[in-house]
Amino acid sequence: MLKGLAAFLLSALCVGLFIIVFGQTFPSAQLHEVGDFAANSLLIADAKHLKLLVGHYSRVGFNHPGPAFLYALAAGEIVFFDLTHSVASPFSGQIHAVALLSGFWIAAIGTLLIRMQPATRGATAAAVLTTALFVGVTAYINYQAFAGPWFPHLYYFAFAAFTVSVGALIMGRADGLVLLAVSLGFLLNGHASFLGMTGIMLACALIANTWLSFRSGSNGTRVLSRHYLASNFRTIAVALAIVVIFLIPLAIQTILHFPGPLAEYAAFGRAHKANRLVDAARFAGLFWSNGLFGILLGAAACAVLVTNDPARDNESRVAPERALSLALASATAAFVFYAVFGVDDLSLTYVGIFYYVVPALALTLLAKRFLDNVTVATAPIAVIVCVAVATFTAIRIHQPPENVSQYNDPRIPAAYTAIRTLEAGGGVAVLDLDGSADWERLWPILVGIEAYGKRQGSVPFCIAQNWQLVFTRSARCTPDEMRGPHRRFLVSAVPKEGLTGAVNVSGLFFYPRESAE
């Protein structure tokens, strides 16, 4: 057992280091993040002091269920920036943490695939080959998932690990329960929608497992049986304990602010009109037909039909493929449910980036089946595929991220100093934000200044009017701050007609509203 754990940890570390070396991780750059990344850094600052109980902000006005991902990013900031000084900025430390977390998920998926293979010669090579193919497909369709700290990308590998674990559960295996629990915990912490989607996937998995068990006449693999529960009691208990630990922050939030976050999520669901099923299905289809990917998927399916040899389709070979295919079907059912009831605007495709896992795994299974039909998986073949995938992946992840403009705004330190000069008599600058024009330029810069100030130990402003959750609750002006000495400003991203005396701070216009009190 210890030997297997050591091999897993070494594999995860090697994959993580590969991503750090070849990916865009900016170890020597002085980064001053803005926008969503700065908003996350505000929460990460609390996580570094073990004070964070909520997840990242949602654009609809609430925090997501839990801080698991944020604590992982905080650990990267602590290790790589605060302790070892191996990176030049805290945000680079967060990016390094994402790379190592991706390495963990990829190694965990590979380890579980090895266990799901029949205990025959070449089983390990076949599982490694499958994992490599999945990594290569991911590098093609979603290269930013490897080291991207944006939450829609962070969900990707966690959802992949959960989906593969669901496949193992359908097979009636217990050796995937710990990975299922860990990935489930991260997903439940990551986004409110996973509360429903993972439940649907688990329910579908239990139904599929029961059906397959009765069909094969094997009671030992039926999860909902006394024999299974008795045989795997310890593993099940550990998995349940892991999930409970991940849910502790949500429970504390519910107790402290009853009825808590779950009531907020339910209110959001009631507030917007459900989408039509056909529109939801069309939304899911976007992730299957994206550019060249749809052509590759069709080509792989045709190749399997042309080369298929039914004589080689023994049960030990088909069982893992069947289980994973059923897991993909359950994930699709859950995603369509999410698109119907949980997405208020189907034009926002970024909310479904994690679902790329399903067509990626489908293409992986087709490519693996094609290779199985034309050759036998051996160590040399697995090595050749791994080298080819590593080369392709290195090229893909070396591309700049699409949202790299939010990684650094060099004006932030000077803007922080400029706002500090606006303070009055030891108070803070009270800001009223102008949301009437170019809001998408105003808030990213201002939240970047806030994150920088929090790292310096002093945020030089609070927000009175037009406060939004992106700035965190601590940025909202308190009654004491409003009563104390302060100067008040209207902050706008564009010049305001009829107003004079503006102070220009990083392209934002600070208009004085009242003198110090």
Side-chain angles (χ1 to χ4, degrees):
M1 181 177 178
L2 290 178
K3 186 178 179 181
L5 179 61
F8 163 72
L9 292 176
L10 181 61
S11 299
L13 180 61
C14 288
V15 176
L17 290 176
F18 174 88
I19 298 170
I20 289 174
V21 171
F22 292 101
Q24 292 284 356
T25 54
F26 305 96
S28 59
Q30 288 286 349
L31 300 179
H32 302 292
E33 67 274 25
V34 297
D36 289 332
F37 303 118
N40 292 339
S41 292
L42 291 171
L43 298 172
I44 288 168
D46 292 334
K48 290 172 69 174
H49 296 91
L50 303 180
K51 297 190 299 183
L52 186 64
L53 293 174
V54 299
H56 64 293
Y57 82 96
S58 167
R59 63 180 176 81
V60 297
F62 53 70
N63 288 94
H64 286 292
F69 282 108
L70 293 167
Y71 272 105
L73 298 180
E77 189 172 313
I78 291 171
V79 172
F80 293 105
F81 180 76
D82 296 336
L83 296 180
T84 65
H85 307 291
S86 58
V87 296
S89 63
F91 186 55
S92 294
Q94 297 176 29
I95 297 174
H96 280 54
V98 177
L100 291 178
L101 186 60
S102 297
F104 166 82
W105 294 126
I106 292 169
I109 290 170
T111 301
L112 183 54
L113 288 175
I114 291 174
R115 294 172 179 172
M116 291 170 67
Q117 295 293 321
T120 59
R121 184 180 179 183
T124 299
V128 170
L129 191 149
T130 304
T131 307
L133 289 172
F134 173 65
V135 169
V137 174
T138 297
Y140 172 69
I141 63 171
N142 189 22
Y143 71 92
Q144 294 176 94
F146 289 88
W150 195 35
F151 269 82
H153 293 138
L154 282 175
Y155 305 142
Y156 180 87
F157 280 119
F159 189 69
F162 180 75
T163 303
V164 174
S165 301
V166 166
L169 185 67
I170 291 173
M171 292 180 68
R173 304 189 64 92
D175 46 11
L177 290 177
V178 171
L179 178 59
L180 185 146
V182 173
S183 56
L184 175 62
F186 271 95
L187 292 174
L188 293 181
N189 272 233
H191 198 283
S193 64
F194 287 117
L195 293 169
M197 281 191 292
T198 54
I200 291 173
M201 290 179 66
L202 289 174
C204 290
L206 293 176
I207 293 172
N209 168 263
T210 302
W211 172 63
L212 290 175
S213 297
F214 280 122
R215 183 181 174 187
S216 65
S218 174
N219 189 56
T221 59
R222 184 158 57 90
V223 175
L224 298 179
S225 67
R226 291 183 179 181
H227 179 269
Y228 183 91
L229 296 175
S231 302
N232 304 289
F233 177 79
R234 180 176 297 180
T235 304
I236 295 172
V238 170
L240 289 174
I242 291 172
V243 175
V244 168
I245 290 172
F246 276 101
L247 293 178
I248 288 175
L250 181 61
I252 294 175
Q253 283 291 101
T254 302
I255 294 170
L256 293 178
H257 307 287
F258 189 81
L262 293 179
E264 291 184 295
Y265 308 149
F268 168 74
R270 292 191 299 267
H272 78 91
K273 183 180 178 181
N275 297 303
R276 296 187 306 164
L277 181 60
V278 64
D279 292 331
R282 188 179 296 115
F283 180 69
L286 293 175
F287 300 91
W288 289 83
S289 59
N290 188 2
L292 182 61
F293 181 76
I295 298 175
L296 292 174
L297 199 67
C302 292
V304 170
L305 291 174
V306 171
T307 63
N308 190 45
D309 182 3
R312 299 181 61 190
D313 288 348
N314 55 68
E315 178 62 21
S316 62
R317 180 194 184 198
V318 171
E321 294 180 356
R322 180 174 56 213
L324 287 172
S325 298
L326 289 171
L328 299 185
S330 72
T332 298
F335 185 73
V336 171
F337 171 86
Y338 166 52
V340 170
F341 297 105
V343 181
D344 59 336
D345 186 350
L346 292 177
S347 68
L348 302 176
T349 54
Y350 74 85
V351 301
I353 285 176
F354 66 89
Y355 181 68
Y356 272 122
V357 163
V358 176
L361 282 173
L363 181 55
T364 298
L365 291 177
L366 286 171
K368 173 62 167 52
R369 169 54 73 100
F370 170 72
L371 290 175
D372 284 346
N373 289 337
V374 298
T375 186
V376 177
T378 61
I381 292 176
V383 169
I384 292 171
V385 172
C386 286
V387 170
V389 166
T391 303
F392 176 72
T393 302
I395 294 171
R396 289 290 293 171
I397 66 177
H398 194 65
Q399 297 180 94
E402 292 177 3
N403 45 18
V404 70
S405 61
Q406 292 190 30
Y407 279 28
N408 183 41
D409 188 333
R411 302 172 296 176
I412 294 299
Y416 169 77
T417 302
I419 294 178
R420 291 203 64 175
T421 64
L422 303 177
E423 296 176 3
V428 298
V430 174
L431 308 184
D432 298 327
L433 307 184
D434 175 28
S436 64
D438 219 353
W439 173 257
E440 291 302 320
R441 188 162 64 89
L442 186 152
W443 78 263
I445 297 174
L446 202 58
V447 76
I449 298 169
E450 183 187 354
Y452 181 84
K454 194 164 186 177
R455 287 199 179 107
Q456 304 306 309
S458 173
V459 177
F461 62 83
C462 68
I463 299 171
Q465 293 182 14
N466 209 7
W467 171 89
Q468 294 193 10
L469 188 63
V470 62
F471 297 101
T472 70
R473 301 187 188 280
S474 61
R476 198 167 195 167
C477 292
T478 65
D480 288 341
E481 288 172 328
M482 296 299 294
R483 285 192 297 265
H486 67 269
R487 296 182 65 192
R488 192 161 185 164
F489 297 86
L490 171 66
V491 184
S492 178
V494 298
K496 302 296 290 184
E497 188 175 347
L499 297 181
T500 59
V503 178
N504 193 306
V505 177
S506 295
L508 303 181
F509 299 91
F510 283 61
Y511 291 95
R513 277 201 155 175
E514 60 185 42
S515 303
E517 298 179 0

